[in-house]
């Protein structure tokens, strides 16, 4: 089944419980989504694939292997989802959510990030920090929060990083639907691309080993 998303006001793709690949529509608003990429979906088993939000972003896959649970990344893979000029920068109120399973211990594994070599002090990232064994919702100017718990390898987590309130607002990290940590948000003036599976921390790339 192939369905275009042009003009659709409410839509959410998922697998039906009774069928292997039977996408159905649910009543879920997507109008304000900057990016929606259900990586398990069979239509996203290509490169580049087109995101399922109204922006219809072209997302280029480097190495990440498709499967029915998502994309598997082995430590040098990533998905470049292009740039945004919307509220994902300074003063904007936004949230970033991902399902992730970390499979290997490794320092600074980027889950989903918006940063780059020339913008290392004003981006944001949702990341797994294996030095501390915790998740982080970081803003590169020193702001951000760290999870209160250490994550377990090969376990799925639903993570959400939220930014609220103006240029110097508040950031929150949710884990499996529960508020886990709250802190001060940083100043964000960033034009870098959104990338899944990789972070840039000023000295090089740090890749995820796991499934998203």
């Amino acid at each position: 089944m192939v369905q275009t998303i042009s003009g659709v006001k409410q839509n959410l793709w998922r697998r039906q419980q009774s069928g292997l690949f039977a996408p159905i529509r649910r009543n879920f608003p997507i109008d304000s989504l900057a990016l929606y990429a259900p990586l398990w979906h069979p239509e996203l088993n290509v490169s580049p694939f087109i995101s399922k939000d109204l922006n219809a972003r072209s997302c280029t896959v480097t190495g990440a292997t498709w499967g029915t649970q998502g994309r598997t990344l082995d430590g040098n893979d990533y998905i470049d989802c292009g740039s945004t000029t919307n509220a994902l920068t300074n003063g904007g109120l936004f949230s970033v959510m991902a399902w992730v399973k970390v499979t290997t211990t490794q320092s600074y594994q980027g889950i989903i990030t918006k940063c780059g070599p020339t913008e290392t002090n004003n981006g944001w990232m949702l990341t797994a920090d294996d030095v501390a064994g915790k998740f982080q919702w970081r803003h590169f100017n020193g702001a951000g929060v760290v999870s209160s718990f250490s994550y377990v390898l090969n376990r799925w987590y639903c993570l959400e990083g939220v930014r609220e309130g103006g240029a110097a607002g508040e950031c929150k990290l949710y884990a499996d639907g529960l508020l886990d940590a709250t802190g001060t948000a940083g100043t964000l003036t960033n034009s870098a691309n959104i990338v899944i599976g990789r972070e840039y921390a000023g000295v090089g790339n740090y890749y995820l080993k796991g499934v998203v």
Side-chain angles (χ1 to χ4, degrees):
M1 175 179 177
V2 177
Q3 176 181 349
T4 61
I5 202 168
S6 177
V8 175
K9 294 302 181 183
Q10 296 198 20
N11 186 38
L12 177 65
W13 291 80
R14 75 170 188 183
R15 253 193 338 264
Q16 285 185 344
Q17 298 300 315
S18 58
L20 179 57
F21 293 126
I24 63 173
R25 286 163 117 194
R26 302 181 65 195
N27 190 30
F28 182 87
I30 65 169
D31 299 62
S32 62
L33 293 184
L35 173 68
Y36 176 53
L39 298 181
W40 55 264
H41 197 285
E43 290 182 11
L44 276 60
N45 183 20
V46 293
S47 181
F49 64 76
I50 303 302
S51 65
K52 292 295 184 179
D53 51 86
L54 293 179
N55 300 293
R57 301 185 182 281
S58 179
C59 303
T60 302
V61 180
T62 299
T65 303
W66 180 87
T68 57
Q69 291 189 322
R71 290 274 183 172
T72 298
L73 304 99
D74 64 7
N76 58 5
D77 304 336
Y78 64 96
I79 303 171
D80 190 328
C81 299
S83 63
T84 62
T85 56
N86 51 27
L88 305 185
T89 54
N90 193 38
L93 311 180
F94 65 91
S95 61
V96 178
M97 179 181 287
W99 281 93
V100 62
K101 178 170 64 175
V102 181
T103 58
T104 305
T105 299
Q106 177 176 294
S107 297
Y108 300 112
Q109 302 188 62
I111 300 168
I112 181 167
T113 70
K114 185 171 166 56
C115 53
T118 62
E119 299 177 315
T120 57
N121 292 318
N122 54 13
W124 53 257
M125 66 168 58
L126 186 62
T127 182
D129 177 6
D130 280 315
V131 174
K134 298 183 177 183
F135 295 115
Q136 297 187 13
W137 170 231
R138 294 174 54 194
H139 296 175
F140 264 113
N141 57 2
V145 292
V146 179
S147 66
S148 64
F149 63 93
S150 298
Y151 59 81
V152 178
L153 294 180
N154 299 302
R155 178 196 186 281
W156 281 103
Y157 293 91
C158 180
L159 302 177
E160 181 179 10
V162 177
R163 188 186 191 283
E164 299 178 343
E170 185 175 51
C171 60
K172 298 178 180 179
L173 176 64
Y174 289 80
D176 295 336
L178 300 176
L179 178 60
D180 182 72
T182 303
T184 301
T187 300
L188 303 176
T189 53
N190 185 293
S191 60
N193 288 3
I194 296 176
V195 178
I196 298 171
R198 183 187 72 183
E199 73 166 88
Y200 187 89
V203 294
N205 293 310
Y206 295 90
Y207 296 92
L208 176 68
K209 289 185 177 182
V211 187
V212 179

